[in-house]
Structures are given as C-alpha cells and as structure tokens.
Amino acid sequence: MENLSRRKALSLGVALGLVGVATPQAWGSPGSAAKAAAGTGPEWIWDDAADPLMASMLQKGHVPAINTAWASWVDNNDPLPSGLPPEFAAYLRQVNRLPSWADPAKLTRAADFNRRRDTYLFMLYGLGSGIMSTVIPREAKSVYWSAGGADMQDRAAKTFTFGYDLSELGAFTPTGQFVVTANKTRVVHAAVRQLLPQSPHWRAVADETIPISAADILVTFHSLGTYVHRKLLDWRIPYPAADQEAFLHSWQVAVHLLGVPYEHIPKTWAEAEAQSARVLTPILTPSTEGIELAEDLLGLTAQIDLGVTRGFLNEFVRYVLSDQVGDWLGLRRDYAAAALVRTAWPAFVLFREGLSPVMPGTFYMFDQFIRALAMLFLNKGSSGTTTPITIPTGNRPT
C-alpha cells in the first residue's frame, strides 16, 4: 500500500478504456489547469488525505466500528458520532464542509432546477447514465469485482443515494444530506483503492493497478452531469442559462467533495463537453462484466410491474444511448416498442413542457413508469429517507 497516491486506477468511470491510454493533452482544456505534464494530471491524482487514513483503518480492523458509529450520521448538521477512531474523526472534521468557492445562491437554484426537471433526471440518470456505466470497461470491472458487485440491488441503491441526495431540495444546507453522503462515498473510494488490488479476479482483467483516480471521477461526472446536460438540450427542454450554470455548479461542488482538486474540474459546460468527447466517448466498449451488470440493472427495473415490458426498457436504453450500446449489451430488439418510444416520448416531453396542447395517448404509461422508477430507486428499495453507506472490508466473494 506504499506510495498509493502515485499508483494508477479507477472504478466509477474511466478516463481511459481498453482502447487506449489517456494523455495529459486529453485532459487539458483552455479553462483549467489540467494541461499539466505527464505525472501531474488528474489521471495521476488519487486522495492524499483519505487513502492513507483508510489503509490504517483497514489494517487496524476499525472499519466495522466505523460503520456502526456513523450509521446515525445522516444530515449535514448532524454532530460527528461518538465511537469513531480519533484520527478518523479528525479527518471528517476537516473535510465535512463546503468549499469556500461554493455559491449558496447557485446551489439553491440547482435544487429547484432538479425539482422542476426530476421527470427527465429519473429517466436519464437511471436508464441512461446507469447503463452507460456498464460500457465503461474499467468501471464495470471494478464494480463487478468489488464487494458491491455481488448484490446489485444494494449497490444500485447506494449509487442512486448519491444522485438523489445531490438532487434533493436543500441538499447542501445544514438540514440536507449530500455533504455527509459525499464524504462517506469518498471514504468508501479510499477503501476500495486498498482492497480491489488484492482481488486476483480483478487483477486478471484490469489494465490498471488500483481504482478511482481523479480522472476516473471526472469521467463519471461526464457520464452523469455532462450527459444529462446535453440530453436536455437535445430534447429542447426549456433550460435557461441560469439553470445550466446552477446545475453545473452543483456538480462542481459534488466532484470536489469527492476529492478532485478544484483546478481539474471543468469551469463551463463547453469545457465539460469538449473534455467528455475526448475522454469518455472514445472509450465506451462492452466487457463480460459490463454485460452481466447491465442485465442485473435492467432486471431491477423490471421489478416494476406496470405492464411495461422488458422490450420497452431495452428500446428506451437504445433511444437514450444508441443502438450500438444496445447491441454491445445484447438487448433484444422490440420494434413495436421502439416505434412507441421514438414517437411518443418526444410528444410526452412537449406536452409536459406546455409546448403542445395534445396529450399523447401514452402519457399515463410514461408518467406511471417514471413514478415507479422513482419509487424503486429513490426509496432505495426499503427506505424513503436514506440508504446506509458502509465501508467494505473485502471484495466480491468468489
């Protein structure tokens, strides 16, 4: 575990895939300091604060006690729980706050934007970004072989907690939950960096040494925030400049809370889209692990019994990602559902936005499906308030 902060990796989203190696030029952009020389860009940055701490916590066997102690630590203004190792509590006191550059007015507007656009966010995060993650090879392999890969419903619930808490009204306020959620997630990442390289199964398929660099987290941001931003524009949903700026700012703060240095975070959507085109789009490709994860995830959604067939799910994924991604994942075609999605969804959007007086005949089906999707993931299967985030102590059981 020595020199961990200089070793290479990923899990949430890859800066590189099996198709090549990212370069400092790929990350460099006119509006950031990411033009650094080899060895100093985000692909060479991990977490100098959390990584050595979690190496110590795992080695000393403190993780079960931490998981027990911080279960009651949920809201941003909750006091740190008792029972934490002193060095772990000291770390949380340092990081459990918003950065000085966070703009409360923008974060408030972002929360309102999320409320007004939740219909589309549910669909795009769940069936767009969620399935896209399975064709990011390093992410898919890291997720599959980590402890969470053995129980995808629980893993999906915990992953969705991050996006849900970010989208919540008051997410960054004292009574919100996102700052705590982000700090718990950051610690989990640090633990995974220690644990996953110990898995012979992961090492057999991985093309990196250890997971979750700053570059990887930025790629995940592109598969979520940048992707949703572009889809809202493509669907011609009213999306004023102030909403766009606020939505970006909420993601900037979120990514920073995960440990990405400010200078490497895109400062504009133009910069984010250009970076995404360089470091995300070219590396999308299927893997054995990703295909299985996609089937697991779509199987979770199929628990919603509203007369919506699996063919509809497959075709909606193809609609929001592409037929190529659908073919990679082996999603069986349903041409009747495809015609329905590609004609009725745009009509649904127009009616929802008040741009068409004609209610599509499929309005009820879409509306109920979105509500059910929200119930499944926003309630995290069991709780409507929070999903416990626990630090792993091992990898996927063989």
Side-chain angles (χ1 to χ4, degrees):
M1 297 178 185
E2 190 177 359
N3 294 325
L4 174 60
S5 63
R6 294 294 173 263
R7 295 162 67 189
K8 192 147 189 185
L10 149 84
S11 157
L12 289 182
V14 210
L16 333 164
L18 300 179
V19 298
V21 177
T23 65
Q25 289 74 26
W27 285 101
S29 55
S32 76
K35 296 183 253 185
T40 60
E43 68 272 33
W44 299 99
I45 296 172
W46 289 269
D47 197 327
D48 288 341
D51 289 346
L53 173 70
M54 289 315 301
S56 174
M57 294 297 99
L58 285 163
Q59 185 177 21
K60 294 175 181 178
H62 289 327
V63 169
I66 293 171
N67 285 332
T68 299
W70 80 358
S72 60
W73 184 49
V74 176
D75 293 343
N76 297 335
N77 62 354
D78 284 346
L80 288 181
S82 59
L84 296 174
E87 61 269 44
F88 191 83
Y91 162 80
L92 290 181
R93 279 192 289 270
Q94 288 181 334
V95 300
N96 192 45
R97 61 184 67 139
L98 292 176
S100 60
W101 46 267
D103 185 327
K106 289 182 181 179
L107 294 178
T108 298
R109 184 172 185 119
D112 185 62
F113 164 78
N114 289 325
R115 176 188 61 80
R116 288 181 279 115
R117 295 289 174 254
D118 60 0
T119 295
Y120 313 116
L121 298 180
F122 292 154
M123 298 296 275
L124 289 172
Y125 283 147
L127 295 178
S129 301
I131 302 303
M132 188 193 301
S133 70
T134 69
V135 291
I136 300 175
R138 288 185 175 179
E139 176 169 358
K141 293 174 182 181
S142 294
V143 167
Y144 186 88
W145 291 113
S146 66
D151 184 349
M152 281 307 293
Q153 179 146 15
D154 180 70
R155 175 67 166 72
K158 289 184 167 82
T159 300
F160 203 87
T161 292
F162 187 89
Y164 173 60
D165 290 349
L166 173 62
S167 301
E168 218 178 7
L169 283 172
F172 295 92
T173 66
T175 57
Q177 299 180 359
F178 183 73
V179 178
V180 169
T181 295
N183 278 300
K184 287 184 175 183
T185 303
R186 181 176 177 180
V187 167
V188 169
H189 289 173
V192 171
R193 293 189 191 101
Q194 307 296 326
L195 294 168
L196 203 50
Q198 300 174 28
S199 166
H201 308 286
W202 181 77
R203 291 199 308 269
V205 296
D207 65 345
E208 69 280 343
T209 308
I210 204 162
I212 318 177
S213 68
D216 304 333
I217 295 173
L218 285 169
V219 168
T220 296
F221 154 65
H222 292 312
S223 73
L224 290 159
T226 306
Y227 165 75
V228 167
H229 167 75
R230 173 42 51 190
K231 279 296 182 183
L232 293 178
L233 293 174
D234 290 347
W235 287 351
R236 300 181 184 275
I237 291 168
Y239 188 24
D243 281 354
Q244 296 185 41
E245 188 175 355
F247 184 53
L248 173 62
H249 189 66
S250 68
W251 272 105
Q252 290 170 328
V253 175
V255 167
H256 183 72
L257 288 173
L258 292 180
V260 177
Y262 175 77
E263 60 268 24
H264 293 294
I265 300 172
K267 304 304 184 289
T268 65
W269 279 123
E271 181 182 332
E273 291 203 90
Q275 190 179 86
S276 180
R278 291 192 301 270
V279 303
L280 172 62
T281 305
I283 60 88
L284 298 176
T285 198
S287 65
T288 300
E289 291 83 357
I291 291 169
E292 186 169 334
L293 291 177
E295 186 61 31
D296 287 346
L297 289 170
L298 288 171
L300 296 179
T301 312
Q303 293 176 18
I304 306 167
D305 185 12
L306 295 171
V308 178
T309 67
R310 173 61 188 270
F312 172 84
L313 293 176
N314 288 354
E315 293 300 337
F316 200 90
V317 169
R318 287 175 176 273
Y319 177 64
V320 296
L321 291 179
S322 72
D323 281 332
Q324 182 179 49
V325 170
D327 291 344
W328 285 343
L329 297 175
L331 303 183
R332 294 181 62 181
R333 297 306 311 258
D334 183 327
Y335 291 102
L340 174 68
V341 169
R342 294 171 190 272
T343 58
W345 180 257
F348 175 80
V349 170
L350 287 173
F351 183 80
R352 288 293 300 245
E353 295 306 314
L355 301 176
S356 170
V358 180
M359 179 188 293
T362 53
F363 181 95
Y364 183 75
M365 185 192 75
F366 280 128
D367 200 53
Q368 288 299 102
F369 179 71
I370 292 165
R371 290 175 187 273
L373 190 69
M375 288 295 291
L376 178 65
F377 289 109
L378 294 189
N379 289 346
K380 298 106 181 179
S382 59
S383 168
T385 55
T386 188
T387 294
I389 296 177
T390 54
I391 305 167
T393 56
N395 296 307
R396 184 187 182 105
T398 59

